[in-house]
Amino acid sequence: MSLNLINSLKRKWNRYDVTRKILNGNYFNESVVNIHRIDTKNIGDYYCAPHHYFERLRGKYLDIFDYKNENEKIRSNYIEDVCNKSIIVGGGGLLNRGGFEMQMKLFEKISEKGKKIVLWGVGHNEKSKENYGKVSKYNIDINKFGLVGTRDYSMPGEFVPCVSCLHPIFDQKFDTKKEVGIVFHKDTLKKENITKKYQNFATSSNTSNLEDLIEFIGESENIITDSYHTMYWAMLMEKKVITIPNSSKFFDFKYQPIISNFDDALNHLNKGETFSGLLEECREINMNFSEKVFNYLNL
């Protein structure tokens, strides 16, 4: 049996073992923990969580993948926090995605048992192209949660765009220095047929640090990207955005950029719409939602 197969089986066992222990546990709502995907190599995943922006949540977070971590101490801490604390789930594309389904179904079940759980800025993330622009329901029942804010404008739940809009970095002003900037998703960096197509253009990726990426966006008149958060941040910064979707998540924001593909994207330069006041709108929505969250969780 190969080492990769052994490790895969171990992770699978860890997932089911942690889930079983939580389902059989006793539940309390003491303090709070913010659970999301903590991926330092994907800055959108990293910065889409409320704990970055509210002092009451500072330092109170878990990676949603801790339930399958090979380190027993990390898994035990995950069990303890989920059982004992109120939970804020999000943000990010955690819905309608196989890799997060077990966790989200678990949260749904324990919410029915008295656990206080808030969904904040989560959204659907289906990979099947046949469902792009056609998602009409989530893979969980959001009515079973205490408070729900989703980043998908047409879907059930209160519309709450990604909380990363609260980052003070968006208060900076930049001088436009280039007509177009290309921002690749980290997975696209591995596709030489795409990266070579744009080798003569200024490029960045969602693996960059936030400061460098925001400066890159700020200095560009047009942004071409297949990164959801780059799309969102560029729209907040009133840039003309051409997006290349890699999941359903690109099709359900309140305001729509141009949808294209890597072969045709350059033909859409300077044709996109800019959205004045979007940053202020998204910040106001999140601040209003935060009051509801903190009241509900007694924080």
Side-chain angles (χ1 to χ4, degrees):
M1 187 179 294
S2 71
L3 182 59
N4 285 340
L5 179 56
I6 292 173
N7 289 334
S8 177
L9 290 173
K10 285 182 178 178
R11 287 192 297 271
K12 185 175 182 180
W13 164 251
N14 288 339
R15 292 197 300 267
Y16 283 101
D17 183 54
V18 168
T19 300
R20 177 183 58 82
K21 288 177 178 176
I22 292 173
L23 284 174
N24 292 327
N26 296 313
Y27 307 124
F28 304 92
N29 292 298
E30 301 170 354
S31 187
V32 65
V33 64
N34 183 186
I35 299 177
H36 69 112
R37 179 68 184 106
I38 301 174
D39 183 356
T40 55
K41 295 181 179 179
N42 182 330
I43 57 174
D45 283 346
Y46 184 75
Y47 282 103
C48 70
H51 69 85
H52 290 292
Y53 312 105
F54 297 93
E55 191 60 39
R56 278 175 277 190
L57 304 177
R58 194 79 64 189
K60 300 174 181 179
Y61 57 86
L62 287 176
D63 189 339
I64 197 168
F65 280 165
D66 280 354
Y67 82 134
K68 64 178 181 179
N69 197 287
E70 62 181 17
N71 187 313
E72 184 178 359
K73 185 176 180 180
I74 290 175
R75 297 197 309 274
S76 296
N77 180 66
Y78 185 88
I79 295 169
E80 182 177 353
D81 276 4
V82 169
C83 286
N84 291 324
K85 297 179 180 180
S86 297
I87 300 171
I88 296 173
V89 180
L94 304 178
L95 305 180
N96 298 42
R97 187 68 179 271
F100 303 114
E101 186 164 10
M102 182 178 286
Q103 303 99 306
M104 297 308 298
K105 291 287 189 182
L106 171 64
F107 297 146
E108 179 184 327
K109 289 177 181 177
I110 64 175
S111 184
E112 290 184 280
K113 296 181 178 181
K115 173 63 66 175
K116 284 189 173 185
I117 302 182
V118 172
L119 305 184
W120 192 332
V122 297
H124 58 70
N125 194 9
E126 291 196 20
K127 282 295 185 180
S128 176
K129 289 186 178 180
E130 64 184 23
N131 291 322
Y132 287 7
K134 300 177 182 178
V135 177
S136 60
K137 63 180 181 179
Y138 291 128
N139 62 342
I140 57 171
D141 184 354
I142 65 170
N143 294 313
K144 294 180 180 178
F145 293 85
L147 197 58
V148 176
T150 67
R151 68 185 190 184
D152 305 317
Y153 189 67
S154 69
M155 295 291 284
E158 181 178 352
F159 173 61
V160 179
C162 180
V163 72
S164 59
C165 62
L166 295 179
H167 200 295
I169 200 168
F170 294 108
D171 295 318
Q172 295 186 49
K173 303 298 180 184
F174 300 92
D175 294 327
T176 302
K177 297 182 179 179
K178 52 187 178 290
E179 183 182 19
V180 58
I182 319 296
V183 182
F184 296 119
H185 186 278
K186 68 175 186 177
D187 294 337
T188 308
L189 292 175
K190 306 169 188 175
K191 300 175 181 178
E192 189 176 351
N193 63 315
I194 293 176
T195 57
K196 284 187 68 175
K197 186 185 299 290
Y198 291 93
Q199 62 185 348
N200 295 324
F201 293 87
T203 63
S204 185
S205 75
N206 66 344
T207 64
S208 302
N209 66 61
L210 184 65
E211 291 74 18
D212 288 346
L213 179 56
I214 296 304
E215 181 179 6
F216 182 87
I217 294 171
E219 293 178 350
S220 305
E221 184 176 356
N222 297 264
I223 289 291
I224 297 173
T225 187
D226 61 340
S227 156
Y228 177 89
H229 279 93
T230 299
M231 174 195 80
Y232 177 57
W233 294 338
M235 291 170 74
L236 294 180
M237 298 171 73
E238 301 184 20
K239 302 299 178 177
K240 299 169 185 174
V241 182
I242 302 128
T243 189
I244 293 88
N246 55 37
S247 95
S248 65
K249 61 189 176 184
F250 291 86
F251 292 87
D252 211 358
F253 187 56
K254 182 178 180 181
Y255 304 98
Q256 283 294 292
I258 291 175
I259 301 290
S260 187
N261 55 64
F262 280 116
D263 291 328
D264 195 42
L266 290 171
N267 293 326
H268 296 288
L269 290 182
N270 300 311
K271 297 178 182 178
E273 185 178 357
T274 59
F275 301 97
S276 177
L278 179 58
L279 175 63
E280 292 75 18
E281 178 183 349
C282 292
R283 283 177 166 177
E284 182 178 5
I285 291 171
N286 271 279
M287 292 307 296
N288 289 339
F289 188 70
S290 73
E291 292 183 15
K292 298 178 185 178
V293 172
F294 297 146
N295 286 335
Y296 173 64
L297 299 181
N298 298 316
L299 295 177

